[in-house]
Structures are given as structure tokens and as C-alpha cells.
Amino acid sequence: MNRDWSELSPILWESVRETLYIVGVTVGVGGALGLVLGVLLYATRRGNLLENVVVFTVLNVAVNVVRPIPFIIFITAVGPVTLAVVGTTIGNEAVIFAMSIMATFVTARIVEQNLVATDPGVVEAARAMGASRLRILVTVLVPEALAPLILGYTFLLIGIVDMSALAGYVGGGGLGNFAIVYGYQRFNWEVTLVTVLVIIGMVQLAQLLGNWLARKALHR
Amino acid sequence: MAPLISFQEVSKVFGTGDRTIRAVDGVTLDIEAGEIFGVIGYSGAGKSTLVRLVNALETVTSGRLLVDGQDVTALREPQLRRVRAGIGMVFQQFNLLNSRTVAGNVAYPLKVAGWPREKRAARVAELLDYVGIADKAKAYPRQLSGGQKQRVGIARALATSPRILLADEATSALDPDTTQDVLALLRRVNRDLGVTVVVITHEMDVIRSLAHRVAVMEAGKVVEHGPVYDVFAAPRERATRRFVATTLKDRPTPEAVARLRHRHPGRIVTVGIRESGVDVTAALREHGVDGTIVFGGITEIDERPFGSLTLELTGADAAIDALVADLRGRTDVDDLGTAGVPA
């Protein structure tokens, strides 16, 4: 361990904290909006509870257009919107804004795909009991798909950690920025390696937690 | 009294343009309050669709459908929800909410109906006790056997004290023992609670042991209906005869008849055993004819005796003729003749 680490570790921990902040807010905002969008995407599909060709097509196309854009390009592409909403295109908040939009669309697809797999018989049973469509969506569909949704969100969380590494490019902080500034730009491979290990550790923890929660939700 | 459920020229068409399927085709049928009504048909006959029209899970394309005096074809979604809430339904695959406990599943329709929490808990306990799974209240559906799941399904369907219970192949996913338990429970629901039960099935045994009246469906149409005993005793349509043959193997097939004639030199005669009661032994004695039972079976339909016996008759030809004529006057007789003179 070389002596740099006495200076670097506080910065490293600060970066971990920033990454957690960026990822946390994004998962919260993008996850919640994506859940709504995903449920709508599922419900408006042909033959489903809120069947609506127009809404479904608009949502479906929007998701298909946004999702494949590489995030580094997306950050700059939504720049004008970010400026209008956040007031700046640089820094953590600007990054969070762009990430939340992307996360919303990614989540929408993950949620939709998991809902498609739920048993239509359960929905029919709830209809037979006289439950309203909205009630079925909220109290039957989402809870029934909870285990796969938890795994889907875990997958999303890890994707967002990946996205957050690009924050450094637009003046944001976090571990990605740390690895570039103190590792790559100073030819300090050890710093890069440590950052990688910290990220692996975080992702592993998230995955373990997700697996555990999903297993609980299955009620076997 | 007016029927509880009345189909009047009801049709249901799926699809549009050239690609349409008439799942239900001009059905006219009355189901009376308090009875167990069976609908039997092969898969694709339209019986599941027919029953889903009753609780408006499917909408009627044409015709009128009265449920408890109300024309459901004229109702809109919010009113239909109220109609549905007053009709219980159980499913072949149980369709329990896996995310909720047994008690949670039974409480769900009560929540939908706006029952307060304390009343819900008492009602759930009462229902679970009635179907015999009070000890499983805190279990999740994935931890239950098929029979237990269907008990939960029935408790859930009965939660809001409906007048009608629709059972869509409720026993088709269960083993024979469990099937009998669930059928007994449905019978109890009908007798104790006066709930009108509509049973959909492809198994004639379910109809035989449970239903009072039956409708046979084929290609969207009701081809035959009436009291179960009458339909069994005198099936008019080919589909009905095939269903009857699946549950009662009392009559020899043509191949079996050939073997019987080969094995027994006497005259082979099949005598129907009905509720009216024919004392075959007394008739044999009266006419001085010997009889040996060579084939047959007697069971109960709707708690009344039903079946047939195939006998080899030996004795004087005139005496046998007189005996056959005598029996013909009292029940259905199928004279299969002998190997030399097949009737």
C-alpha cells in the first residue's frame, strides 16, 4: 500500500457516497416512473385490462427509441431539457436528471416483461370478484409479479451503477470520476483496480440482497 | 318462479370480419334457483365461454341473458362489477393469488366489496372452517396441495354469500380421491347454503355424481338438455351417447358381443336396469328360463339406480321369446341373438 492512500481514501469514500447518492435518486425516481410506465405498457397491450392501441403504440415506440441510445450520447442529447429543468447541464443533479429519464424507459420495459409472465387466470379471478381494473393492476398484478420485479430492479440497479460511472464526463462525481481522475489520468493503475473492486463489492451486495428479497417474495 | 339464469337465443362471436368464431351459438336455456346444473362438452365446445357470459367476463354478442331478473347484456362496466361480485367462481387452475396467504385470498373479495377489517376476519375464519382448512389460514397457496387449493378457491368464491357459484372444470386438475372431496363440498354448498351451482366439465362422472340437470354442448350449441337421469337413460345425440359411454361401460361393444356369442351358445340379451325396477330373477323363474349374467354394471345417477345386465338365456325358444316380450314391456331390452342367429 503506497502512501497516496492516506490522501486518496477520504476522496474514495466521498466518491462512494456520491455514487450511492446518484444511483439512489435515479433508482427512486426512474424506478417509480418506470413502474407506472411499465404497468401502462402492459395494461394497454391488446387483450389486456386497459387495451388501447394508441397509448400502447406511443409508449412502445418511445421506449424503443430511447433505450438503445448510448448513455454518454444521451446525456448530451437531452442537454437542453436538462438545462430547462435543472438549470445546468453539469454536475451530479444534471447527471441524475438524464439518468432518471433513461432509467424510466429501461424500467418500463423490465416491468412490462415481468408482468407479461403473470398468470392471466389470476386477473380473471379478480375480475370475477368484481374488482375494478385499476384495483387489479395495483393489488393483483404488481404483487403477483413481485419476485421477478425485484430481480428486474436488481438488474436495473446494476445498470445504473454502470451509467453513473459516466457522470465524471459532465462534471459529476462518484466512483467513475474517481477512477478516471486519480487512476487513468495519473497513470495509477492501482487506484483503478481498487475502484473496480469497490464497485464489484457494491454490485455483489446489491445482487445478494435482491436474490434474498425475491426468494422471500415467492412464498414457497 | 322465474329461472335464476335465463339464456335467450344467446350468441357469442369472437374476432371480426372473416375470421370469426361462434363460441356460443344461439343458446336458449334456463337454470333454476337452487339446482346444480351441469354443462358438459369436449374442449372447444363453448362451455367455458357460456359460463363466462353469466358473470360478464365475456360480453354477449346477441340475444338476451337474464341473471337474477337483470338483463346483463344491457349493463355497463360499473354495474357489471356489482353483478360479478354477487356470483362466485372457481377455476380449474384455482387462480389463487400467490402473493397472499390463504386468509388473504379469502379476504380479497370482501375487501373489494368494502367490508370493514373486523368483519372480514370473522367471515374468513368462518369460511375456512366451513371448507375444512382453518389450520392453513397463514399458509401461502404454493405450500398447498391441489385439493387444498380448490378448497381455498371455493371459500373465496363463497365469501360474499353469492346466490350463484360457477365451477369451471373445478375438479379436472385433481386426483380421483380429491375430486370426490371437492364434489362433496360443492354438493354441501348447494344443500346447506342453497347456492345455485353451475358446473362445467368434460367428465361425465362429475355430472353423474353432482348435477340435477345437464346440458350437452357441441360446437357452441346446446344439443341436448334435461334431468341428468333422463339424458343418461335415453341419450338422443351422438355426443351425449359418447359421454354416457365414458362413464358407464355396462353395455358390451360390438367386439365384446362377438366374443360373448362365441363363448356362450345361448341367446344374449341386454336388459336395462332403471329406477322403475325390474326383477329379472323373478321373470326368469316365471317363464322357466335359465339366465347367466355375462356382462353389465349398475350404478347410481342422481342417487337413482342405473345400468344394464347382459344375460345368456337358455331354455325353450318359445319361453325365451315370451320372456323377452315381457321384459320389453317394462324396460329397454337389447336382443343380441346367438352366434347362429344374430338379432
Side-chain angles (χ1 to χ4, degrees):
Chain A
M1 179 102 3
N2 73 43
R3 61 188 169 80
D4 289 354
W5 283 105
S6 53
E7 306 161 29
L8 283 178
S9 16
I11 307 172
L12 173 65
W13 291 120
E14 175 59 20
S15 302
V16 168
R17 203 193 57 78
E18 273 186 299
T19 291
L20 288 177
Y21 166 65
I22 295 170
V23 170
V25 174
T26 306
V27 169
V29 175
L33 292 177
L35 182 65
V36 174
L37 215 58
V39 168
L40 268 179
L41 199 54
Y42 165 82
T44 54
R45 187 185 274 267
R46 246 179 84 99
N48 285 351
L49 285 166
L50 304 173
E51 180 174 331
N52 187 320
V53 183
V54 176
V55 175
F56 174 77
T57 309
V58 168
L59 289 178
N60 198 36
V61 168
V63 170
N64 284 344
V65 166
V66 174
R67 231 163 45 107
I69 305 173
F71 186 63
I72 185 110
I73 298 170
F74 183 77
I75 290 187
T76 49
V78 293
V81 186
T82 313
L83 187 63
V85 176
V86 186
T88 171
T89 56
I90 55 165
N92 285 341
E93 279 68 29
V95 170
I96 288 172
F97 178 77
M99 281 173 70
S100 296
I101 295 175
M102 182 56 99
T104 299
F105 286 97
V106 173
T107 312
R109 190 59 88 196
I110 293 174
V111 168
E112 184 218 7
Q113 282 168 356
N114 284 314
L115 292 182
V116 164
T118 56
D119 178 9
V122 180
V123 174
E124 187 179 43
R127 283 187 66 213
M129 288 179 239
S132 70
R133 297 172 224 245
L134 189 65
R135 184 183 209 115
I136 295 172
L137 288 178
V138 178
T139 66
V140 174
L141 262 168
V142 172
E144 286 296 301
L146 194 60
L149 280 177
I150 290 170
L151 292 178
Y153 272 87
T154 309
F155 180 83
L156 171 84
L157 179 78
I158 291 162
I160 288 174
V161 171
D162 182 10
M163 262 195 246
S164 76
L166 296 172
Y169 280 106
V170 287
L175 285 166
N177 184 51
F178 178 77
I180 289 162
V181 173
Y182 298 95
Y184 179 71
Q185 285 169 0
R186 291 189 184 179
F187 308 104
N188 190 341
W189 186 77
E190 193 182 300
V191 168
T192 308
L193 182 69
V194 168
T195 315
V196 167
L197 290 176
V198 169
I199 290 177
I200 290 175
M202 285 167 61
V203 166
Q204 279 300 320
L205 270 177
Q207 189 67 54
L208 284 173
L209 182 71
N211 290 349
W212 180 75
L213 283 173
R215 222 175 14 251
K216 294 272 289 181
L218 269 180
H219 301 301
R220 286 215 192 273
Chain B
M1 210 171 76
L4 186 57
I5 303 168
S6 180
F7 291 90
Q8 299 169 4
E9 280 299 314
V10 170
S11 292
K12 171 64 183 180
V13 181
F14 287 110
T16 49
D18 303 334
R19 307 179 62 183
T20 58
I21 303 162
R22 291 188 89 79
V24 173
D25 194 357
V27 168
T28 297
L29 195 69
D30 285 345
I31 297 174
E32 307 295 334
E35 74 175 330
I36 301 183
F37 193 93
V39 179
I40 190 165
Y42 294 105
S43 59
K47 53 193 194 302
S48 277
T49 308
L50 185 80
V51 81
R52 277 166 176 71
L53 296 172
V54 175
N55 62 350
L57 288 178
E58 298 289 354
T59 54
V60 172
T61 307
S62 67
R64 260 158 59 94
L65 174 54
L66 303 177
V67 177
D68 212 352
Q70 203 169 22
D71 187 356
V72 295
T73 55
L75 300 181
R76 301 183 65 86
E77 180 67 19
Q79 298 158 306
L80 286 178
R81 285 209 292 272
R82 266 199 299 282
V83 171
R84 287 185 197 125
I87 300 175
M89 189 165 189
V90 289
F91 305 85
Q92 177 172 10
Q93 294 305 330
F94 324 118
N95 294 350
L96 300 180
L97 305 166
N98 287 316
S99 56
R100 289 168 202 265
T101 60
V102 164
N105 268 276
V106 179
Y108 190 80
L110 298 172
K111 261 188 206 169
V112 170
W115 284 44
R117 179 186 282 275
E118 324 78 64
K119 282 182 70 187
R120 278 206 307 261
R123 178 71 179 145
V124 168
E126 181 190 356
L127 286 158
L128 291 181
D129 197 44
Y130 184 74
V131 300
I133 41 165
D135 56 323
K136 297 284 180 192
K138 289 196 171 69
Y140 282 90
R142 285 199 179 95
Q143 299 159 340
L144 302 179
S145 69
Q148 290 169 331
K149 284 183 192 172
Q150 199 56 293
R151 283 165 187 279
V152 179
I154 292 171
R156 184 175 72 174
L158 294 175
T160 53
S161 307
R163 289 192 68 193
I164 302 169
L165 179 66
L166 308 174
D168 184 11
E169 299 276 8
T171 59
S172 300
L174 303 175
D175 62 51
D177 279 354
T178 318
T179 294
Q180 289 311 316
D181 292 348
V182 168
L183 292 180
L185 176 57
L186 289 174
R187 212 174 290 128
R188 205 147 58 85
V189 165
N190 172 256
R191 270 193 201 150
D192 305 353
L193 310 176
V195 175
T196 305
V197 182
V198 182
V199 196
I200 305 245
T201 184
H202 64 275
E203 295 169 318
M204 202 65 186
D205 273 326
V206 170
I207 300 289
R208 182 173 69 78
S209 65
L210 190 65
H212 304 126
R213 290 200 305 144
V214 64
V216 182
M217 278 193 86
E218 202 177 22
K221 293 189 164 73
V222 169
V223 293
E224 189 163 353
H225 69 98
V228 172
Y229 196 86
D230 298 352
V231 170
F232 264 86
R236 293 195 316 269
E237 300 294 327
R238 213 170 58 90
T240 319
R241 278 199 292 273
R242 280 168 67 192
F243 278 119
V244 172
T246 60
T247 178
L248 276 164
K249 295 180 173 67
D250 60 321
R251 283 169 194 266
T253 59
E255 295 77 26
V257 170
R259 282 192 295 273
L260 288 174
R261 283 180 185 142
H262 179 72
R263 210 158 36 219
H264 304 280
R267 192 145 141 205
I268 311 290
V269 172
T270 300
V271 182
I273 304 297
R274 298 286 181 269
E275 197 183 21
S276 46
V278 176
D279 192 336
V280 180
T281 321
L284 286 168
R285 208 181 307 124
E286 212 175 292
H287 290 274
V289 174
D290 283 332
T292 310
I293 297 169
V294 295
F295 206 97
I298 303 167
T299 182
E300 278 192 319
I301 294 172
D302 195 15
E303 301 177 348
R304 292 141 74 186
F306 184 88
S308 69
L309 293 175
T310 299
L311 302 147
E312 178 201 22
L313 304 177
T314 46
D317 279 350
I320 294 176
D321 284 342
L323 168 66
V324 170
D326 183 11
L327 289 173
R328 275 230 163 92
R330 293 190 269 166
T331 182
D332 62 303
V333 174
D334 200 0
D335 190 351
L336 300 167
T338 61
V341 194

